Amino acid sequence: MRWSYPSGVTFYRLEPTRDPGDLREPVIIVAFDSWVDAGAASTSAAGLLVEDAPTVARFDPDALFDYRARRPTLEIVDGRPRELTWPELTLRRASIGGRDLLVLVGPEPDYRWRELAEAAVELARELGVVQWISLGAIPAAVPHTRAVPVIGTASEQGLLRGDVEPGPEGILRVPAACISVLDMAVTRAGTPAVGYFAQVPHYISGPYAPAALALSEALGRHLGVELPQGALAEEARELRERLDAATGLDETTRTYVQRLEAMYDEARLPSGDDLIADIERFLRERSS
């Protein structure tokens, strides 16, 4: 497939079989596999929306990905290389509860974030997008024994729904993620934008189904529809049992979790400094 960039910045292709004119007040939902996807929570929640869903647009992977950092997967059968699976970024369409959802989920691009942001603005205008929703998950000092906290961001007051509050208060400076660059670009272009971010216990490694479930529920409340959750509830229950068993075997870990429980029960939200410390620890562990 050959790619062309008529505007100088656009590197996506609308699928020729898809008519953007038949979309009904579409909402774009974005989740990238990145540092702001702790426990793979956001990509898991978003991915469930578009299983077997048709593709609306494709982005040029050669322009976005460093294949040394995100290498294609090679399938070898009986000693013979047979197939390469390349990282890709696609926009897929799901129709749920009378709502058209356009879901952009995949690896976080390595290159050309600002140009991708301009392309996102152009694509949102072309498809008549009425709202932009970012999903993410961040490491935080929260216990696995309590409900997953979800905090929000919004381009203006009153956009967040349910019990989600914007936070934390004050100025918070953290390493930027590509999803935030796109969010701010579409906001400046006039599209309302919100973000829902689950807080994942920073002592957890690997996929964290409870956070994916919390994000799915928060998104469903925001949209006013019931979203598919697959096996997330069962995966969350099984993980809770394993974590409880592991915690019970180690007194130091058990004491630490109990301290986190006390902070949670006192409704002591983490400060900006606390969040920064947790995020920096998380990034150090990812790079080691």
Side-chain angles (χ1 to χ4, degrees):
M1 178 185 295
R2 292 183 62 86
W3 299 85
S4 59
Y5 312 115
S7 69
V9 296
T10 300
F11 33 90
Y12 65 84
R13 294 171 65 98
L14 289 175
E15 290 295 287
T17 58
R18 299 294 153 196
D19 177 13
D22 68 351
L23 294 171
R24 299 160 294 180
E25 296 189 333
V27 171
I28 283 187
I29 299 166
V30 188
F32 289 152
D33 172 13
S34 69
W35 80 261
V36 74
D37 185 36
S42 62
T43 50
S44 296
L48 285 173
L49 300 176
V50 288
E51 291 184 344
D52 301 320
T55 299
V56 174
R58 298 180 185 275
F59 290 81
D60 180 3
D62 287 348
L64 296 176
F65 296 118
D66 177 356
Y67 295 133
R68 293 170 300 176
R70 298 187 183 274
R71 295 180 182 271
T73 302
L74 172 63
E75 184 178 271
I76 303 173
V77 179
D78 297 329
R80 177 177 296 178
R82 184 173 72 174
E83 184 178 1
L84 282 168
T85 302
W86 297 84
E88 63 175 4
L89 193 60
T90 58
L91 185 71
R92 297 179 182 271
R93 175 182 181 179
S95 296
I96 301 174
R99 300 294 302 268
D100 276 324
L101 309 180
L102 302 175
V103 183
L104 183 63
V105 59
E108 180 182 59
D110 298 298
Y111 303 125
R112 303 173 73 172
W113 287 9
R114 286 182 287 191
E115 292 172 273
L116 179 61
E118 293 183 50
V121 170
E122 179 180 318
L123 186 59
R125 287 173 176 165
E126 188 167 3
L127 298 177
V129 170
V130 298
Q131 191 171 66
W132 182 280
I133 303 176
S134 299
L135 298 181
I138 57 176
V142 295
H144 73 274
T145 54
R146 298 293 189 267
V148 175
V150 177
I151 59 177
T153 61
S155 58
E156 57 188 77
Q157 291 185 349
L159 292 181
L160 294 172
R161 298 177 185 173
D163 297 327
V164 177
E165 297 289 340
E169 294 182 353
I171 297 175
L172 181 64
R173 291 186 175 92
V174 299
C178 183
I179 195 171
S180 299
V181 176
L182 271 58
D183 181 300
M184 294 181 68
V186 297
T187 295
R188 287 193 296 268
T191 300
V194 300
Y196 290 97
F197 296 85
Q199 296 184 37
V200 175
H202 59 66
Y203 55 87
I204 301 296
S205 62
Y208 194 61
L213 183 61
L215 283 175
S216 178
E217 291 172 345
L219 180 60
R221 287 191 296 269
H222 182 92
L223 297 171
V225 297
E226 185 172 343
L227 299 178
Q229 296 176 348
L232 285 179
E234 179 62 18
E235 292 172 5
R237 184 190 65 79
E238 292 176 355
L239 180 58
R240 169 66 187 272
E241 291 179 354
R242 293 197 299 270
L243 290 172
D244 284 347
T247 301
L249 294 175
D250 184 79
E251 182 177 355
T252 301
T253 302
R254 184 168 62 251
T255 300
Y256 180 66
V257 171
Q258 289 172 347
R259 182 160 63 87
L260 294 179
E261 289 174 337
M263 294 174 59
Y264 183 100
D265 294 341
E266 293 172 6
R268 287 169 54 189
L269 296 176
S271 66
D273 289 342
D274 292 334
L275 281 177
I276 290 172
D278 291 331
I279 290 168
E280 289 177 342
R281 183 188 303 110
F282 178 75
L283 292 175
R284 284 196 302 271
E285 291 172 353
R286 279 175 63 99
S287 61
S288 61

